[in-house]
């Protein structure tokens, strides 16, 4: 006479694998530490040398310069650029420039025909 023994599934092994996966993902995940309250990421006043070539510089008071020469209007400046320079327009803002002014300028540059507006900043984090 044969006895039918039901074979038990190795649930302990499955629980161990799931537990190890949980530990792995908890250890592998990195949480970014919060930025310091006094951290200023955009800093152009302390840069050594000059602005990158072919970059539109926006000063703290809203003045625009391109290659050291003053620019009266952002839209007219974009119109004078060759097509290749209009595809990606580089912008160097001063850290003291209000963010609303920077956003307004970016929108004006895009409306004037700049394909992409890239902001050049100093790397603030190590």
């Amino acid at each position: 006479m044969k006895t039918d023994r039901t074979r038990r599934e190795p649930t302990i092994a499955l629980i161990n694998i799931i537990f190890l996966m949980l530990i792995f993902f908890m250890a592998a995940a990195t949480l970014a530490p919060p930025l310091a309250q006094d951290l200023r990421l955009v800093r152009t006043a302390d840069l050594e040398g000059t602005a990158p070539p072919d970059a539109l510089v926006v000063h703290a008071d809203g003045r625009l310069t391109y290659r050291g020469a003053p620019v009266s209007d952002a839209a007219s400046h974009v119109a004078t650029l060759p097509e290749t320079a209009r595809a990606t327009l580089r912008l160097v803002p001063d850290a003291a420039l209000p963010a609303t002014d920077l956003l307004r300028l970016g929108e004006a540059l895009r409306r004037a025909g700049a394909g992409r507006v890239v902001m050049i900043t100093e790397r603030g984090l190590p």
Side-chain angles (χ1 to χ4, degrees):
M1 179 174 206
K2 289 186 179 178
T3 58
D4 283 337
R5 289 180 122 180
T6 49
R7 187 163 184 214
R8 299 181 102 188
E9 292 293 324
T11 56
I12 297 296
L14 183 62
I15 291 171
N16 286 341
I17 290 172
I18 291 173
F19 182 69
L20 288 173
M21 287 175 59
L22 178 67
I23 297 288
F24 171 76
F25 287 118
M26 285 175 56
T30 57
L31 298 176
L35 295 176
Q37 292 291 334
D38 59 344
L39 184 65
R40 295 184 68 179
L41 294 178
V42 179
R43 291 186 7 194
T44 58
D46 298 333
L47 289 177
E48 295 178 13
T50 61
D54 299 329
L56 183 63
V57 179
V58 187
H59 299 271
D61 58 358
R63 285 181 300 117
L64 299 172
T65 56
Y66 182 73
R67 295 183 179 176
V71 173
S72 61
D73 182 38
S76 62
H77 170 70
V78 172
T80 62
L81 294 174
E83 191 69 33
T84 55
R86 269 188 253 162
T88 302
L89 190 117
R90 298 188 309 162
L91 190 63
V92 181
D94 192 290
L97 181 72
T100 54
D101 292 349
L102 182 60
L103 289 173
R104 254 187 259 122
L105 177 62
E107 290 171 2
L109 291 170
R110 290 295 305 258
R111 278 193 305 267
R116 200 173 92 172
V117 178
V118 177
M119 199 166 48
I120 308 295
T121 62
E122 181 179 20
R123 186 178 181 119
L125 299 176

